[in-house]
PDB file of all heavy atoms in Angstrom:
ATOM      1  N   PRO F1474     -88.625 -80.790 -93.724  1.00  0.00           N
ATOM      2  CA  PRO F1474     -89.142 -79.597 -93.045  1.00  0.00           C
ATOM      3  C   PRO F1474     -88.492 -79.457 -91.683  1.00  0.00           C
ATOM      4  O   PRO F1474     -87.912 -80.410 -91.149  1.00  0.00           O
ATOM      5  CB  PRO F1474     -90.643 -79.874 -92.939  1.00  0.00           C
ATOM      6  CG  PRO F1474     -90.752 -81.359 -92.983  1.00  0.00           C
ATOM      7  CD  PRO F1474     -89.631 -81.845 -93.831  1.00  0.00           C
ATOM      8  N   PHE F1475     -88.587 -78.264 -91.106  1.00  0.00           N
ATOM      9  CA  PHE F1475     -87.962 -78.048 -89.805  1.00  0.00           C
ATOM     10  C   PHE F1475     -88.695 -76.971 -89.024  1.00  0.00           C
ATOM     11  O   PHE F1475     -89.486 -76.202 -89.577  1.00  0.00           O
ATOM     12  CB  PHE F1475     -86.484 -77.676 -89.962  1.00  0.00           C
ATOM     13  CG  PHE F1475     -86.223 -76.403 -90.732  1.00  0.00           C
ATOM     14  CD1 PHE F1475     -86.172 -75.167 -90.095  1.00  0.00           C
ATOM     15  CD2 PHE F1475     -86.013 -76.436 -92.102  1.00  0.00           C
ATOM     16  CE1 PHE F1475     -85.926 -73.995 -90.790  1.00  0.00           C
ATOM     17  CE2 PHE F1475     -85.757 -75.269 -92.824  1.00  0.00           C
ATOM     18  CZ  PHE F1475     -85.711 -74.048 -92.167  1.00  0.00           C
ATOM     19  N   VAL F1476     -88.411 -76.947 -87.725  1.00  0.00           N
ATOM     20  CA  VAL F1476     -88.880 -75.896 -86.829  1.00  0.00           C
ATOM     21  C   VAL F1476     -87.673 -75.071 -86.423  1.00  0.00           C
ATOM     22  O   VAL F1476     -86.600 -75.614 -86.136  1.00  0.00           O
ATOM     23  CB  VAL F1476     -89.560 -76.490 -85.587  1.00  0.00           C
ATOM     24  CG1 VAL F1476     -89.610 -75.484 -84.452  1.00  0.00           C
ATOM     25  CG2 VAL F1476     -90.977 -76.947 -85.922  1.00  0.00           C
ATOM     26  N   VAL F1477     -87.833 -73.745 -86.409  1.00  0.00           N
ATOM     27  CA  VAL F1477     -86.767 -72.859 -85.948  1.00  0.00           C
ATOM     28  C   VAL F1477     -87.312 -71.967 -84.840  1.00  0.00           C
ATOM     29  O   VAL F1477     -88.459 -71.511 -84.887  1.00  0.00           O
ATOM     30  CB  VAL F1477     -86.193 -72.022 -87.114  1.00  0.00           C
ATOM     31  CG1 VAL F1477     -87.262 -71.165 -87.771  1.00  0.00           C
ATOM     32  CG2 VAL F1477     -85.037 -71.152 -86.632  1.00  0.00           C
ATOM     33  N   VAL F1478     -86.505 -71.753 -83.815  1.00  0.00           N
ATOM     34  CA  VAL F1478     -86.882 -70.919 -82.678  1.00  0.00           C
ATOM     35  C   VAL F1478     -86.605 -69.458 -83.025  1.00  0.00           C
ATOM     36  O   VAL F1478     -85.460 -69.080 -83.281  1.00  0.00           O
ATOM     37  CB  VAL F1478     -86.095 -71.320 -81.412  1.00  0.00           C
ATOM     38  CG1 VAL F1478     -86.451 -70.395 -80.245  1.00  0.00           C
ATOM     39  CG2 VAL F1478     -86.379 -72.771 -81.049  1.00  0.00           C
ATOM     40  N   LEU F1479     -87.642 -68.636 -83.024  1.00  0.00           N
ATOM     41  CA  LEU F1479     -87.511 -67.213 -83.356  1.00  0.00           C
ATOM     42  C   LEU F1479     -87.403 -66.323 -82.126  1.00  0.00           C
ATOM     43  O   LEU F1479     -87.138 -65.129 -82.250  1.00  0.00           O
ATOM     44  CB  LEU F1479     -88.696 -66.758 -84.207  1.00  0.00           C
ATOM     45  CG  LEU F1479     -88.860 -67.437 -85.572  1.00  0.00           C
ATOM     46  CD1 LEU F1479     -90.057 -66.865 -86.305  1.00  0.00           C
ATOM     47  CD2 LEU F1479     -87.592 -67.298 -86.409  1.00  0.00           C
ATOM     48  N   GLY F1480     -87.620 -66.895 -80.957  1.00  0.00           N
ATOM     49  CA  GLY F1480     -87.511 -66.123 -79.722  1.00  0.00           C
ATOM     50  C   GLY F1480     -87.681 -67.021 -78.520  1.00  0.00           C
ATOM     51  O   GLY F1480     -88.345 -68.064 -78.607  1.00  0.00           O
ATOM     52  N   ILE F1481     -87.071 -66.650 -77.395  1.00  0.00           N
ATOM     53  CA  ILE F1481     -87.128 -67.500 -76.197  1.00  0.00           C
ATOM     54  C   ILE F1481     -87.602 -66.739 -74.957  1.00  0.00           C
ATOM     55  O   ILE F1481     -87.765 -67.332 -73.898  1.00  0.00           O
ATOM     56  CB  ILE F1481     -85.762 -68.134 -75.893  1.00  0.00           C
ATOM     57  CG1 ILE F1481     -84.744 -67.053 -75.484  1.00  0.00           C
ATOM     58  CG2 ILE F1481     -85.250 -68.941 -77.079  1.00  0.00           C
ATOM     59  CD1 ILE F1481     -83.499 -67.601 -74.814  1.00  0.00           C
ATOM     60  N   ALA F1482     -87.815 -65.429 -75.072  1.00  0.00           N
ATOM     61  CA  ALA F1482     -88.144 -64.618 -73.896  1.00  0.00           C
ATOM     62  C   ALA F1482     -89.640 -64.609 -73.615  1.00  0.00           C
ATOM     63  O   ALA F1482     -90.463 -64.931 -74.462  1.00  0.00           O
ATOM     64  CB  ALA F1482     -87.639 -63.192 -74.088  1.00  0.00           C
ATOM     65  N   GLN F1483     -89.982 -64.206 -72.403  1.00  0.00           N
ATOM     66  CA  GLN F1483     -91.370 -63.987 -72.002  1.00  0.00           C
ATOM     67  C   GLN F1483     -91.930 -62.847 -72.859  1.00  0.00           C
ATOM     68  O   GLN F1483     -91.198 -62.165 -73.565  1.00  0.00           O
ATOM     69  CB  GLN F1483     -91.399 -63.671 -70.497  1.00  0.00           C
ATOM     70  CG  GLN F1483     -92.760 -63.414 -69.911  1.00  0.00           C
ATOM     71  CD  GLN F1483     -93.048 -61.916 -69.769  1.00  0.00           C
ATOM     72  OE1 GLN F1483     -92.276 -61.067 -70.189  1.00  0.00           O
ATOM     73  NE2 GLN F1483     -94.187 -61.606 -69.167  1.00  0.00           N
ATOM     74  N   ASP F1484     -93.229 -62.627 -72.780  1.00  0.00           N
ATOM     75  CA  ASP F1484     -93.955 -61.693 -73.650  1.00  0.00           C
ATOM     76  C   ASP F1484     -93.241 -60.362 -73.901  1.00  0.00           C
ATOM     77  O   ASP F1484     -93.294 -59.812 -75.002  1.00  0.00           O
ATOM     78  CB  ASP F1484     -95.327 -61.384 -73.051  1.00  0.00           C
ATOM     79  CG  ASP F1484     -96.193 -62.620 -72.877  1.00  0.00           C
ATOM     80  OD1 ASP F1484     -95.653 -63.670 -72.472  1.00  0.00           O
ATOM     81  OD2 ASP F1484     -97.405 -62.531 -73.128  1.00  0.00           O
ATOM     82  N   ALA F1485     -92.587 -59.811 -72.871  1.00  0.00           N
ATOM     83  CA  ALA F1485     -91.994 -58.479 -72.957  1.00  0.00           C
ATOM     84  C   ALA F1485     -90.604 -58.460 -73.575  1.00  0.00           C
ATOM     85  O   ALA F1485     -90.017 -57.401 -73.755  1.00  0.00           O
ATOM     86  CB  ALA F1485     -91.944 -57.846 -71.567  1.00  0.00           C
ATOM     87  N   GLY F1486     -90.068 -59.632 -73.909  1.00  0.00           N
ATOM     88  CA  GLY F1486     -88.737 -59.685 -74.488  1.00  0.00           C
ATOM     89  C   GLY F1486     -87.643 -59.496 -73.447  1.00  0.00           C
ATOM     90  O   GLY F1486     -87.902 -59.323 -72.252  1.00  0.00           O
ATOM     91  N   PHE F1487     -86.399 -59.521 -73.928  1.00  0.00           N
ATOM     92  CA  PHE F1487     -85.225 -59.378 -73.054  1.00  0.00           C
ATOM     93  C   PHE F1487     -84.199 -58.515 -73.760  1.00  0.00           C
ATOM     94  O   PHE F1487     -83.727 -58.894 -74.816  1.00  0.00           O
ATOM     95  CB  PHE F1487     -84.650 -60.767 -72.756  1.00  0.00           C
ATOM     96  CG  PHE F1487     -83.438 -60.769 -71.858  1.00  0.00           C
ATOM     97  CD1 PHE F1487     -83.511 -60.252 -70.571  1.00  0.00           C
ATOM     98  CD2 PHE F1487     -82.224 -61.296 -72.292  1.00  0.00           C
ATOM     99  CE1 PHE F1487     -82.395 -60.275 -69.731  1.00  0.00           C
ATOM    100  CE2 PHE F1487     -81.112 -61.325 -71.464  1.00  0.00           C
ATOM    101  CZ  PHE F1487     -81.192 -60.812 -70.187  1.00  0.00           C
ATOM    102  N   PRO F1488     -83.920 -57.309 -73.238  1.00  0.00           N
ATOM    103  CA  PRO F1488     -84.323 -56.756 -71.947  1.00  0.00           C
ATOM    104  C   PRO F1488     -85.775 -56.279 -71.965  1.00  0.00           C
ATOM    105  O   PRO F1488     -86.345 -56.082 -73.029  1.00  0.00           O
ATOM    106  CB  PRO F1488     -83.372 -55.570 -71.776  1.00  0.00           C
ATOM    107  CG  PRO F1488     -83.101 -55.124 -73.174  1.00  0.00           C
ATOM    108  CD  PRO F1488     -83.049 -56.384 -73.983  1.00  0.00           C
ATOM    109  N   GLN F1489     -86.311 -56.064 -70.793  1.00  0.00           N
ATOM    110  CA  GLN F1489     -87.705 -55.632 -70.677  1.00  0.00           C
ATOM    111  C   GLN F1489     -87.775 -54.120 -70.501  1.00  0.00           C
ATOM    112  O   GLN F1489     -86.910 -53.503 -69.879  1.00  0.00           O
ATOM    113  CB  GLN F1489     -88.360 -56.323 -69.480  1.00  0.00           C
ATOM    114  CG  GLN F1489     -89.837 -55.995 -69.316  1.00  0.00           C
ATOM    115  CD  GLN F1489     -90.515 -56.885 -68.306  1.00  0.00           C
ATOM    116  OE1 GLN F1489     -90.507 -58.103 -68.414  1.00  0.00           O
ATOM    117  NE2 GLN F1489     -91.114 -56.271 -67.287  1.00  0.00           N
ATOM    118  N   ALA F1490     -88.803 -53.526 -71.066  1.00  0.00           N
ATOM    119  CA  ALA F1490     -88.985 -52.073 -70.997  1.00  0.00           C
ATOM    120  C   ALA F1490     -88.867 -51.558 -69.567  1.00  0.00           C
ATOM    121  O   ALA F1490     -89.435 -52.149 -68.640  1.00  0.00           O
ATOM    122  CB  ALA F1490     -90.348 -51.691 -71.574  1.00  0.00           C
ATOM    123  N   ALA F1491     -88.113 -50.486 -69.416  1.00  0.00           N
ATOM    124  CA  ALA F1491     -87.956 -49.755 -68.151  1.00  0.00           C
ATOM    125  C   ALA F1491     -87.152 -50.506 -67.101  1.00  0.00           C
ATOM    126  O   ALA F1491     -87.020 -50.026 -65.974  1.00  0.00           O
ATOM    127  CB  ALA F1491     -89.312 -49.357 -67.571  1.00  0.00           C
ATOM    128  N   CYS F1492     -86.598 -51.673 -67.441  1.00  0.00           N
ATOM    129  CA  CYS F1492     -85.820 -52.415 -66.449  1.00  0.00           C
ATOM    130  C   CYS F1492     -84.391 -51.875 -66.401  1.00  0.00           C
ATOM    131  O   CYS F1492     -83.688 -51.870 -67.414  1.00  0.00           O
ATOM    132  CB  CYS F1492     -85.806 -53.904 -66.767  1.00  0.00           C
ATOM    133  SG  CYS F1492     -84.884 -54.872 -65.531  1.00  0.00           S
ATOM    134  N   THR F1493     -83.985 -51.422 -65.209  1.00  0.00           N
ATOM    135  CA  THR F1493     -82.620 -50.937 -65.010  1.00  0.00           C
ATOM    136  C   THR F1493     -81.862 -51.817 -64.016  1.00  0.00           C
ATOM    137  O   THR F1493     -80.802 -51.442 -63.509  1.00  0.00           O
ATOM    138  CB  THR F1493     -82.645 -49.487 -64.482  1.00  0.00           C
ATOM    139  OG1 THR F1493     -83.405 -49.432 -63.262  1.00  0.00           O
ATOM    140  CG2 THR F1493     -83.279 -48.556 -65.512  1.00  0.00           C
ATOM    141  N   LYS F1494     -82.417 -53.002 -63.748  1.00  0.00           N
ATOM    142  CA  LYS F1494     -81.793 -53.927 -62.805  1.00  0.00           C
ATOM    143  C   LYS F1494     -80.605 -54.635 -63.448  1.00  0.00           C
ATOM    144  O   LYS F1494     -80.387 -54.561 -64.666  1.00  0.00           O
ATOM    145  CB  LYS F1494     -82.825 -54.948 -62.319  1.00  0.00           C
ATOM    146  CG  LYS F1494     -84.010 -54.317 -61.589  1.00  0.00           C
ATOM    147  CD  LYS F1494     -85.043 -55.375 -61.225  1.00  0.00           C
ATOM    148  CE  LYS F1494     -86.261 -54.765 -60.549  1.00  0.00           C
ATOM    149  NZ  LYS F1494     -87.305 -55.781 -60.238  1.00  0.00           N
ATOM    150  N   ASP F1495     -79.887 -55.373 -62.631  1.00  0.00           N
ATOM    151  CA  ASP F1495     -78.684 -56.053 -63.105  1.00  0.00           C
ATOM    152  C   ASP F1495     -78.983 -57.062 -64.212  1.00  0.00           C
ATOM    153  O   ASP F1495     -78.141 -57.305 -65.071  1.00  0.00           O
ATOM    154  CB  ASP F1495     -77.990 -56.766 -61.942  1.00  0.00           C
ATOM    155  CG  ASP F1495     -77.340 -55.781 -60.962  1.00  0.00           C
ATOM    156  OD1 ASP F1495     -77.141 -54.611 -61.364  1.00  0.00           O
ATOM    157  OD2 ASP F1495     -77.048 -56.182 -59.828  1.00  0.00           O
ATOM    158  N   CYS F1496     -80.200 -57.627 -64.198  1.00  0.00           N
ATOM    159  CA  CYS F1496     -80.533 -58.645 -65.202  1.00  0.00           C
ATOM    160  C   CYS F1496     -80.546 -58.073 -66.612  1.00  0.00           C
ATOM    161  O   CYS F1496     -80.220 -58.760 -67.590  1.00  0.00           O
ATOM    162  CB  CYS F1496     -81.872 -59.315 -64.891  1.00  0.00           C
ATOM    163  SG  CYS F1496     -83.278 -58.167 -64.779  1.00  0.00           S
ATOM    164  N   CYS F1497     -80.930 -56.788 -66.739  1.00  0.00           N
ATOM    165  CA  CYS F1497     -81.082 -56.183 -68.067  1.00  0.00           C
ATOM    166  C   CYS F1497     -80.003 -55.160 -68.419  1.00  0.00           C
ATOM    167  O   CYS F1497     -79.854 -54.817 -69.605  1.00  0.00           O
ATOM    168  CB  CYS F1497     -82.457 -55.525 -68.184  1.00  0.00           C
ATOM    169  SG  CYS F1497     -83.834 -56.711 -68.306  1.00  0.00           S
ATOM    170  N   LYS F1498     -79.265 -54.648 -67.442  1.00  0.00           N
ATOM    171  CA  LYS F1498     -78.261 -53.615 -67.706  1.00  0.00           C
ATOM    172  C   LYS F1498     -77.302 -53.992 -68.829  1.00  0.00           C
ATOM    173  O   LYS F1498     -77.103 -53.220 -69.775  1.00  0.00           O
ATOM    174  CB  LYS F1498     -77.475 -53.310 -66.429  1.00  0.00           C
ATOM    175  CG  LYS F1498     -78.158 -52.332 -65.491  1.00  0.00           C
ATOM    176  CD  LYS F1498     -77.260 -52.038 -64.296  1.00  0.00           C
ATOM    177  CE  LYS F1498     -77.940 -51.071 -63.331  1.00  0.00           C
ATOM    178  NZ  LYS F1498     -77.077 -50.811 -62.141  1.00  0.00           N
ATOM    179  N   PRO F1499     -76.661 -55.175 -68.769  1.00  0.00           N
ATOM    180  CA  PRO F1499     -75.700 -55.501 -69.835  1.00  0.00           C
ATOM    181  C   PRO F1499     -76.350 -55.708 -71.190  1.00  0.00           C
ATOM    182  O   PRO F1499     -75.714 -55.515 -72.229  1.00  0.00           O
ATOM    183  CB  PRO F1499     -75.036 -56.791 -69.330  1.00  0.00           C
ATOM    184  CG  PRO F1499     -76.018 -57.388 -68.375  1.00  0.00           C
ATOM    185  CD  PRO F1499     -76.701 -56.227 -67.736  1.00  0.00           C
ATOM    186  N   VAL F1500     -77.616 -56.072 -71.187  1.00  0.00           N
ATOM    187  CA  VAL F1500     -78.311 -56.351 -72.444  1.00  0.00           C
ATOM    188  C   VAL F1500     -78.648 -55.052 -73.172  1.00  0.00           C
ATOM    189  O   VAL F1500     -78.634 -55.011 -74.408  1.00  0.00           O
ATOM    190  CB  VAL F1500     -79.584 -57.183 -72.182  1.00  0.00           C
ATOM    191  CG1 VAL F1500     -80.130 -57.733 -73.486  1.00  0.00           C
ATOM    192  CG2 VAL F1500     -79.287 -58.341 -71.220  1.00  0.00           C
ATOM    193  N   TRP F1501     -78.944 -53.991 -72.408  1.00  0.00           N
ATOM    194  CA  TRP F1501     -79.174 -52.688 -73.032  1.00  0.00           C
ATOM    195  C   TRP F1501     -77.913 -52.207 -73.738  1.00  0.00           C
ATOM    196  O   TRP F1501     -77.965 -51.543 -74.775  1.00  0.00           O
ATOM    197  CB  TRP F1501     -79.600 -51.657 -71.990  1.00  0.00           C
ATOM    198  CG  TRP F1501     -80.994 -51.824 -71.463  1.00  0.00           C
ATOM    199  CD1 TRP F1501     -81.363 -52.027 -70.171  1.00  0.00           C
ATOM    200  CD2 TRP F1501     -82.219 -51.796 -72.214  1.00  0.00           C
ATOM    201  NE1 TRP F1501     -82.728 -52.139 -70.052  1.00  0.00           N
ATOM    202  CE2 TRP F1501     -83.280 -51.993 -71.306  1.00  0.00           C
ATOM    203  CE3 TRP F1501     -82.517 -51.638 -73.564  1.00  0.00           C
ATOM    204  CZ2 TRP F1501     -84.613 -52.030 -71.688  1.00  0.00           C
ATOM    205  CZ3 TRP F1501     -83.852 -51.668 -73.962  1.00  0.00           C
ATOM    206  CH2 TRP F1501     -84.875 -51.859 -73.031  1.00  0.00           C
ATOM    207  N   LYS F1502     -76.761 -52.555 -73.201  1.00  0.00           N
ATOM    208  CA  LYS F1502     -75.486 -52.093 -73.760  1.00  0.00           C
ATOM    209  C   LYS F1502     -75.000 -52.959 -74.922  1.00  0.00           C
ATOM    210  O   LYS F1502     -74.294 -52.471 -75.805  1.00  0.00           O
ATOM    211  CB  LYS F1502     -74.420 -52.074 -72.654  1.00  0.00           C
ATOM    212  CG  LYS F1502     -74.716 -51.087 -71.530  1.00  0.00           C
ATOM    213  CD  LYS F1502     -73.652 -51.155 -70.450  1.00  0.00           C
ATOM    214  CE  LYS F1502     -73.953 -50.192 -69.316  1.00  0.00           C
ATOM    215  NZ  LYS F1502     -72.919 -50.268 -68.238  1.00  0.00           N
ATOM    216  N   ASP F1503     -75.359 -54.232 -74.899  1.00  0.00           N
ATOM    217  CA  ASP F1503     -74.869 -55.164 -75.917  1.00  0.00           C
ATOM    218  C   ASP F1503     -76.056 -55.813 -76.625  1.00  0.00           C
ATOM    219  O   ASP F1503     -76.680 -56.725 -76.097  1.00  0.00           O
ATOM    220  CB  ASP F1503     -73.995 -56.242 -75.259  1.00  0.00           C
ATOM    221  CG  ASP F1503     -73.364 -57.204 -76.265  1.00  0.00           C
ATOM    222  OD1 ASP F1503     -73.693 -57.118 -77.473  1.00  0.00           O
ATOM    223  OD2 ASP F1503     -72.566 -58.056 -75.841  1.00  0.00           O
ATOM    224  N   SER F1504     -76.371 -55.365 -77.828  1.00  0.00           N
ATOM    225  CA  SER F1504     -77.561 -55.847 -78.539  1.00  0.00           C
ATOM    226  C   SER F1504     -77.473 -57.326 -78.892  1.00  0.00           C
ATOM    227  O   SER F1504     -78.494 -57.972 -79.125  1.00  0.00           O
ATOM    228  CB  SER F1504     -77.785 -55.029 -79.814  1.00  0.00           C
ATOM    229  OG  SER F1504     -76.681 -55.157 -80.695  1.00  0.00           O
ATOM    230  N   SER F1505     -76.274 -57.889 -78.924  1.00  0.00           N
ATOM    231  CA  SER F1505     -76.142 -59.316 -79.251  1.00  0.00           C
ATOM    232  C   SER F1505     -76.733 -60.209 -78.166  1.00  0.00           C
ATOM    233  O   SER F1505     -77.006 -61.388 -78.403  1.00  0.00           O
ATOM    234  CB  SER F1505     -74.667 -59.684 -79.460  1.00  0.00           C
ATOM    235  OG  SER F1505     -73.939 -59.622 -78.243  1.00  0.00           O
ATOM    236  N   LEU F1506     -76.945 -59.652 -76.975  1.00  0.00           N
ATOM    237  CA  LEU F1506     -77.508 -60.422 -75.865  1.00  0.00           C
ATOM    238  C   LEU F1506     -79.029 -60.401 -75.864  1.00  0.00           C
ATOM    239  O   LEU F1506     -79.659 -61.134 -75.100  1.00  0.00           O
ATOM    240  CB  LEU F1506     -76.998 -59.867 -74.531  1.00  0.00           C
ATOM    241  CG  LEU F1506     -75.480 -59.889 -74.314  1.00  0.00           C
ATOM    242  CD1 LEU F1506     -75.134 -59.201 -72.998  1.00  0.00           C
ATOM    243  CD2 LEU F1506     -74.950 -61.316 -74.343  1.00  0.00           C
ATOM    244  N   ARG F1507     -79.628 -59.574 -76.700  1.00  0.00           N
ATOM    245  CA  ARG F1507     -81.081 -59.429 -76.691  1.00  0.00           C
ATOM    246  C   ARG F1507     -81.768 -60.683 -77.217  1.00  0.00           C
ATOM    247  O   ARG F1507     -81.265 -61.354 -78.109  1.00  0.00           O
ATOM    248  CB  ARG F1507     -81.496 -58.206 -77.516  1.00  0.00           C
ATOM    249  CG  ARG F1507     -80.959 -56.914 -76.925  1.00  0.00           C
ATOM    250  CD  ARG F1507     -81.419 -55.686 -77.683  1.00  0.00           C
ATOM    251  NE  ARG F1507     -80.876 -54.479 -77.059  1.00  0.00           N
ATOM    252  CZ  ARG F1507     -81.174 -53.251 -77.425  1.00  0.00           C
ATOM    253  NH1 ARG F1507     -82.014 -53.041 -78.440  1.00  0.00           N
ATOM    254  NH2 ARG F1507     -80.637 -52.221 -76.795  1.00  0.00           N
ATOM    255  N   ARG F1508     -82.951 -60.940 -76.676  1.00  0.00           N
ATOM    256  CA  ARG F1508     -83.726 -62.104 -77.103  1.00  0.00           C
ATOM    257  C   ARG F1508     -85.172 -61.682 -77.327  1.00  0.00           C
ATOM    258  O   ARG F1508     -85.748 -60.931 -76.547  1.00  0.00           O
ATOM    259  CB  ARG F1508     -83.664 -63.230 -76.047  1.00  0.00           C
ATOM    260  CG  ARG F1508     -82.264 -63.817 -75.876  1.00  0.00           C
ATOM    261  CD  ARG F1508     -81.780 -64.496 -77.126  1.00  0.00           C
ATOM    262  NE  ARG F1508     -80.428 -65.039 -77.011  1.00  0.00           N
ATOM    263  CZ  ARG F1508     -79.322 -64.426 -77.433  1.00  0.00           C
ATOM    264  NH1 ARG F1508     -79.417 -63.213 -77.973  1.00  0.00           N
ATOM    265  NH2 ARG F1508     -78.153 -65.005 -77.311  1.00  0.00           N
ATOM    266  N   PHE F1509     -85.769 -62.187 -78.406  1.00  0.00           N
ATOM    267  CA  PHE F1509     -87.130 -61.830 -78.777  1.00  0.00           C
ATOM    268  C   PHE F1509     -88.139 -62.653 -77.974  1.00  0.00           C
ATOM    269  O   PHE F1509     -87.798 -63.679 -77.380  1.00  0.00           O
ATOM    270  CB  PHE F1509     -87.351 -62.076 -80.264  1.00  0.00           C
ATOM    271  CG  PHE F1509     -86.343 -61.396 -81.161  1.00  0.00           C
ATOM    272  CD1 PHE F1509     -85.827 -62.049 -82.270  1.00  0.00           C
ATOM    273  CD2 PHE F1509     -85.919 -60.106 -80.897  1.00  0.00           C
ATOM    274  CE1 PHE F1509     -84.905 -61.436 -83.100  1.00  0.00           C
ATOM    275  CE2 PHE F1509     -84.994 -59.470 -81.721  1.00  0.00           C
ATOM    276  CZ  PHE F1509     -84.479 -60.137 -82.829  1.00  0.00           C
ATOM    277  N   ALA F1510     -89.388 -62.196 -77.994  1.00  0.00           N
ATOM    278  CA  ALA F1510     -90.474 -62.938 -77.343  1.00  0.00           C
ATOM    279  C   ALA F1510     -90.641 -64.306 -78.015  1.00  0.00           C
ATOM    280  O   ALA F1510     -90.354 -64.479 -79.201  1.00  0.00           O
ATOM    281  CB  ALA F1510     -91.764 -62.142 -77.420  1.00  0.00           C
ATOM    282  N   THR F1511     -91.137 -65.248 -77.258  1.00  0.00           N
ATOM    283  CA  THR F1511     -91.183 -66.645 -77.698  1.00  0.00           C
ATOM    284  C   THR F1511     -92.061 -66.869 -78.924  1.00  0.00           C
ATOM    285  O   THR F1511     -93.224 -66.477 -78.959  1.00  0.00           O
ATOM    286  CB  THR F1511     -91.671 -67.538 -76.546  1.00  0.00           C
ATOM    287  OG1 THR F1511     -90.670 -67.532 -75.516  1.00  0.00           O
ATOM    288  CG2 THR F1511     -91.915 -68.967 -77.006  1.00  0.00           C
ATOM    289  N   SER F1512     -91.475 -67.531 -79.909  1.00  0.00           N
ATOM    290  CA  SER F1512     -92.197 -67.882 -81.131  1.00  0.00           C
ATOM    291  C   SER F1512     -91.430 -68.971 -81.850  1.00  0.00           C
ATOM    292  O   SER F1512     -90.195 -69.047 -81.764  1.00  0.00           O
ATOM    293  CB  SER F1512     -92.337 -66.657 -82.040  1.00  0.00           C
ATOM    294  OG  SER F1512     -92.922 -66.994 -83.283  1.00  0.00           O
ATOM    295  N   LEU F1513     -92.155 -69.810 -82.564  1.00  0.00           N
ATOM    296  CA  LEU F1513     -91.552 -70.812 -83.436  1.00  0.00           C
ATOM    297  C   LEU F1513     -92.004 -70.560 -84.870  1.00  0.00           C
ATOM    298  O   LEU F1513     -93.083 -70.022 -85.103  1.00  0.00           O
ATOM    299  CB  LEU F1513     -91.980 -72.236 -83.056  1.00  0.00           C
ATOM    300  CG  LEU F1513     -91.676 -72.773 -81.661  1.00  0.00           C
ATOM    301  CD1 LEU F1513     -92.128 -74.235 -81.574  1.00  0.00           C
ATOM    302  CD2 LEU F1513     -90.209 -72.651 -81.311  1.00  0.00           C
ATOM    303  N   ALA F1514     -91.179 -70.966 -85.822  1.00  0.00           N
ATOM    304  CA  ALA F1514     -91.592 -71.007 -87.221  1.00  0.00           C
ATOM    305  C   ALA F1514     -91.479 -72.442 -87.704  1.00  0.00           C
ATOM    306  O   ALA F1514     -90.547 -73.165 -87.339  1.00  0.00           O
ATOM    307  CB  ALA F1514     -90.728 -70.094 -88.077  1.00  0.00           C
ATOM    308  N   ILE F1515     -92.446 -72.850 -88.505  1.00  0.00           N
ATOM    309  CA  ILE F1515     -92.409 -74.153 -89.172  1.00  0.00           C
ATOM    310  C   ILE F1515     -92.109 -73.874 -90.636  1.00  0.00           C
ATOM    311  O   ILE F1515     -92.793 -73.061 -91.270  1.00  0.00           O
ATOM    312  CB  ILE F1515     -93.741 -74.895 -89.040  1.00  0.00           C
ATOM    313  CG1 ILE F1515     -94.167 -74.998 -87.573  1.00  0.00           C
ATOM    314  CG2 ILE F1515     -93.658 -76.291 -89.664  1.00  0.00           C
ATOM    315  CD1 ILE F1515     -95.597 -75.481 -87.380  1.00  0.00           C
ATOM    316  N   VAL F1516     -91.097 -74.535 -91.181  1.00  0.00           N
ATOM    317  CA  VAL F1516     -90.663 -74.265 -92.550  1.00  0.00           C
ATOM    318  C   VAL F1516     -90.602 -75.558 -93.348  1.00  0.00           C
ATOM    319  O   VAL F1516     -90.057 -76.567 -92.881  1.00  0.00           O
ATOM    320  CB  VAL F1516     -89.265 -73.601 -92.559  1.00  0.00           C
ATOM    321  CG1 VAL F1516     -88.795 -73.348 -93.993  1.00  0.00           C
ATOM    322  CG2 VAL F1516     -89.278 -72.301 -91.763  1.00  0.00           C
TER     323      VAL F1516
END
């Protein structure tokens, strides 16, 4: 069995809604940089 990480971001995800700051600007443009809210799966 194993654990897999399904997300590493805080509750709001990355990028965060309405954020136009430098931290999120490139992520809005490049979907490969996006990260989901934190969760693990046990399989």
Side-chain angles (χ1 to χ4, degrees):
F1475 61 89
V1476 160
V1477 59
V1478 177
L1479 298 181
I1481 67 164
Q1483 180 261 5
D1484 300 40
F1487 180 60
Q1489 183 169 303
C1492 182
T1493 57
K1494 299 176 182 178
D1495 289 342
C1496 58
C1497 288
K1498 277 183 181 178
V1500 193
W1501 287 121
K1502 296 178 181 179
D1503 184 354
S1504 61
S1505 69
L1506 300 175
R1507 297 183 180 185
R1508 294 296 178 263
F1509 306 139
T1511 293
S1512 175
L1513 300 184
I1515 307 169
V1516 179

